[in-house]
Amino acid sequence: QVHLLESGGGSVQTGGSLRLSCVASEPIAGRYCMGWFRQAPGKEREGVATIDSDGRSSYSDSVKGRFTISRDNAMRTVYLEMNGLRPEDSAMYYCAADDVGNSVPALGWVAYVATFTYAGRGTQVTVAS
């Protein structure tokens, strides 16, 4: 069982930037698709971004062009660089991982990241207007 620990959340003004990090308890290279989903109070979970073991990424339409996901397999870490933050980006952000094999669904793994097998406890992002 892989454990995930997020960090990097905080409070920023509209248009600001944050970089989230997620460290895994075991090696992620060649096995785990990694990603982020978020959940705001009273709302359902929303996939944000994923990056598979081959480095292929997928993003939700709401963050495409503003957020960038990356991974450092040597450090067992995945990052989410968030630029141009908006109040509607405010949420608890969760790191997630799953061993999904080599397939790539038509909608991208971002459509499924909120149901991945492993997830961290989250880090809060608040964007003030």
Side-chain angles (χ1 to χ4, degrees):
Q1 180 174 356
V2 60
H3 297 280
L4 305 169
L5 182 62
E6 306 96 335
S7 62
S11 297
V12 297
Q13 297 292 319
T14 295
S17 299
L18 284 172
R19 188 194 197 201
L20 306 184
S21 299
C22 169
V23 180
S25 61
E26 63 179 65
I28 60 174
R31 181 175 181 183
Y32 290 107
C33 179
M34 306 294 295
W36 296 87
F37 66 91
R38 65 189 181 187
Q39 188 168 24
K43 295 189 176 181
E44 295 189 356
R45 293 179 173 185
E46 177 191 13
V48 175
T50 59
I51 183 166
D52 67 15
S53 58
D54 290 324
R56 293 169 295 198
S57 59
S58 61
Y59 298 90
S60 67
D61 288 343
S62 61
V63 307
K64 199 171 296 182
R66 299 187 296 123
F67 291 11
T68 303
I69 190 170
S70 61
R71 61 193 286 163
D72 183 336
N73 289 331
M75 299 298 290
R76 294 179 279 116
T77 300
V78 62
Y79 304 98
L80 185 68
E81 187 77 36
M82 306 186 295
N83 298 312
L85 284 162
R86 306 166 180 167
E88 55 265 38
D89 294 318
S90 297
M92 186 72 78
Y93 283 70
Y94 299 88
C95 178
D98 211 333
D99 185 354
V100 299
N102 295 320
S103 63
V104 179
L107 295 178
W109 285 113
V110 68
Y112 307 95
V113 63
T115 61
F116 275 12
T117 300
Y118 306 108
R121 293 189 174 186
T123 185
Q124 179 68 40
V125 171
T126 303
V127 185
S129 57

CSV table of all heavy atoms in Angstrom, one decimal, residues 9 19 21 28 34 42 51 53 65 72 81 84 86 100 105 107 118 122 128:
chain,number,residue,atom,x,y,z
A,9,GLY,N,0.1,23.8,-0.1
A,9,GLY,CA,-1.1,24.6,-0.1
A,9,GLY,C,-1.0,25.9,0.6
A,9,GLY,O,0.0,26.1,1.4
A,19,ARG,N,2.7,25.9,-5.8
A,19,ARG,CA,3.2,24.7,-6.2
A,19,ARG,C,2.9,23.6,-5.2
A,19,ARG,O,3.5,23.7,-4.1
A,19,ARG,CB,4.7,24.8,-6.5
A,19,ARG,CG,5.3,23.6,-7.2
A,19,ARG,CD,6.8,23.6,-7.1
A,19,ARG,NE,7.5,22.7,-8.0
A,19,ARG,CZ,8.7,22.2,-7.9
A,19,ARG,NH1,9.4,22.6,-6.8
A,19,ARG,NH2,9.2,21.4,-8.8
A,21,SER,N,3.2,19.7,-3.8
A,21,SER,CA,4.1,18.5,-3.9
A,21,SER,C,3.4,17.3,-3.3
A,21,SER,O,2.6,17.5,-2.3
A,21,SER,CB,5.4,18.8,-3.2
A,21,SER,OG,6.1,19.9,-3.8
A,28,ILE,N,7.7,5.1,-7.5
A,28,ILE,CA,6.5,5.2,-8.4
A,28,ILE,C,6.9,5.0,-9.8
A,28,ILE,O,6.0,4.9,-10.7
A,28,ILE,CB,5.9,6.6,-8.2
A,28,ILE,CG1,6.9,7.7,-8.6
A,28,ILE,CG2,5.4,6.8,-6.8
A,28,ILE,CD1,6.4,9.1,-8.6
A,34,MET,N,0.1,9.0,-11.4
A,34,MET,CA,-0.1,9.9,-10.3
A,34,MET,C,-1.0,11.0,-10.8
A,34,MET,O,-1.1,11.4,-12.0
A,34,MET,CB,1.3,10.5,-9.9
A,34,MET,CG,2.3,9.4,-9.6
A,34,MET,SD,1.9,8.5,-8.2
A,34,MET,CE,2.0,9.7,-6.9
A,42,GLY,N,-19.3,21.1,-0.1
A,42,GLY,CA,-20.6,21.0,-0.8
A,42,GLY,C,-20.6,20.6,-2.2
A,42,GLY,O,-21.6,20.6,-2.9
A,51,ILE,N,-0.6,12.3,-14.5
A,51,ILE,CA,0.6,12.0,-15.3
A,51,ILE,C,1.0,10.5,-15.1
A,51,ILE,O,1.1,10.1,-14.0
A,51,ILE,CB,1.8,12.9,-14.9
A,51,ILE,CG1,3.0,12.7,-15.8
A,51,ILE,CG2,2.2,12.8,-13.5
A,51,ILE,CD1,4.1,13.8,-15.8
A,53,SER,N,3.0,6.7,-16.0
A,53,SER,CA,4.4,6.3,-15.8
A,53,SER,C,5.3,6.6,-17.0
A,53,SER,O,6.5,6.6,-16.9
A,53,SER,CB,4.5,4.8,-15.4
A,53,SER,OG,3.8,4.0,-16.4
A,65,GLY,N,-4.0,24.9,-19.4
A,65,GLY,CA,-3.3,26.1,-19.7
A,65,GLY,C,-2.8,26.9,-18.5
A,65,GLY,O,-2.0,27.8,-18.7
A,72,ASP,N,8.9,13.5,-10.5
A,72,ASP,CA,10.3,13.2,-10.4
A,72,ASP,C,10.4,11.8,-9.8
A,72,ASP,O,10.3,11.7,-8.5
A,72,ASP,CB,11.0,14.3,-9.5
A,72,ASP,CG,12.5,14.1,-9.3
A,72,ASP,OD1,13.0,12.9,-9.5
A,72,ASP,OD2,13.2,15.0,-9.0
A,81,GLU,N,2.0,22.6,-10.5
A,81,GLU,CA,2.3,24.0,-10.6
A,81,GLU,C,1.0,24.7,-11.0
A,81,GLU,O,0.5,24.4,-12.1
A,81,GLU,CB,3.4,24.2,-11.6
A,81,GLU,CG,3.9,25.7,-11.7
A,81,GLU,CD,4.8,26.0,-10.5
A,81,GLU,OE1,5.6,25.2,-10.1
A,81,GLU,OE2,4.7,27.2,-10.0
A,84,GLY,N,-2.1,31.6,-12.4
A,84,GLY,CA,-3.4,32.2,-12.7
A,84,GLY,C,-4.6,31.7,-11.8
A,84,GLY,O,-5.7,31.5,-12.3
A,86,ARG,N,-7.7,31.3,-9.5
A,86,ARG,CA,-9.0,31.9,-9.4
A,86,ARG,C,-9.7,31.5,-8.1
A,86,ARG,O,-9.5,30.4,-7.6
A,86,ARG,CB,-9.8,31.6,-10.6
A,86,ARG,CG,-9.2,31.8,-12.0
A,86,ARG,CD,-9.9,31.1,-13.1
A,86,ARG,NE,-9.3,31.3,-14.4
A,86,ARG,CZ,-9.6,30.6,-15.5
A,86,ARG,NH1,-10.5,29.7,-15.4
A,86,ARG,NH2,-9.0,30.9,-16.6
A,100,VAL,N,-2.3,1.5,-13.1
A,100,VAL,CA,-3.4,1.4,-14.2
A,100,VAL,C,-2.9,0.7,-15.4
A,100,VAL,O,-3.6,0.6,-16.4
A,100,VAL,CB,-3.9,2.9,-14.6
A,100,VAL,CG1,-4.5,3.5,-13.4
A,100,VAL,CG2,-2.7,3.7,-15.1
A,105,PRO,N,-7.2,5.8,-21.3
A,105,PRO,CA,-8.6,5.9,-21.7
A,105,PRO,C,-8.8,7.1,-22.6
A,105,PRO,O,-8.1,8.1,-22.6
A,105,PRO,CB,-9.4,6.1,-20.4
A,105,PRO,CG,-8.3,6.6,-19.4
A,105,PRO,CD,-7.0,6.0,-19.9
A,107,LEU,N,-10.8,9.6,-22.4
A,107,LEU,CA,-11.0,10.9,-21.7
A,107,LEU,C,-9.8,11.2,-20.9
A,107,LEU,O,-9.7,12.3,-20.3
A,107,LEU,CB,-12.2,10.8,-20.8
A,107,LEU,CG,-13.6,10.6,-21.5
A,107,LEU,CD1,-14.7,10.5,-20.4
A,107,LEU,CD2,-13.9,11.8,-22.4
A,118,TYR,N,-5.3,4.9,-4.2
A,118,TYR,CA,-4.6,5.5,-3.1
A,118,TYR,C,-4.7,7.0,-3.2
A,118,TYR,O,-4.6,7.6,-4.2
A,118,TYR,CB,-3.1,5.1,-3.1
A,118,TYR,CG,-2.8,3.7,-3.2
A,118,TYR,CD1,-2.4,3.0,-4.3
A,118,TYR,CD2,-3.1,2.9,-2.0
A,118,TYR,CE1,-2.2,1.7,-4.3
A,118,TYR,CE2,-2.9,1.5,-2.1
A,118,TYR,CZ,-2.4,0.9,-3.2
A,118,TYR,OH,-2.2,-0.4,-3.3
A,122,GLY,N,-4.7,15.4,1.8
A,122,GLY,CA,-5.0,16.7,1.2
A,122,GLY,C,-4.3,17.9,1.7
A,122,GLY,O,-3.7,17.9,2.8
A,128,ALA,N,-8.2,34.2,-2.8
A,128,ALA,CA,-9.1,35.3,-2.4
A,128,ALA,C,-9.3,36.2,-3.6
A,128,ALA,O,-8.4,36.4,-4.5
A,128,ALA,CB,-8.4,36.1,-1.3
